[in-house]
Amino acid sequence: MRKGIAGLAALAQDVLRQNPASGAVFAFRGRRGDRLKLLYWDGQGFCLYYKVLERGRFPWPVAGDGAARLTSAQLAMLWEGIDWRRPDWGAPPARVS
């Protein structure tokens, strides 16, 4: 997680073969899984968001070609540390008559 904006933009372009200024959000997770960086081009410049979980790890999708595409809902859950692949919503509350 040493790379900054320029290094992450270069990874998006060279490794993922994507235009980092396309408006897509690029997510990078640290080796231990407790750190996440999001890189986004807002039309004027790059924004870099960085989050470290105090407990647990960020879920990470399996990417066959090196890149995974997430919906906006999946990205929001990823940022919150929620594993959208195995939601544990629990049983609905029992009705009291």
Side-chain angles (χ1 to χ4, degrees), residues 33-61:
D34 65 339
R35 298 163 194 274
L36 185 70
K37 287 185 179 180
L38 301 179
L39 180 69
Y40 172 70
W41 175 262
D42 72 354
Q44 295 179 328
F46 284 105
C47 301
L48 183 62
Y49 302 94
Y50 184 49
K51 186 169 186 176
V52 179
L53 292 178
E54 290 187 16
R55 287 182 286 124
R57 294 179 171 193
F58 288 102
W60 204 244

Side-chain angles (χ1 to χ4, degrees), residues 6 12 20 25 28 46-47 51 54 71-72 81 85:
V25 177
F28 302 90
F46 284 105
C47 301
K51 186 169 186 176
E54 290 187 16
T71 66
S72 57
R85 300 165 301 177

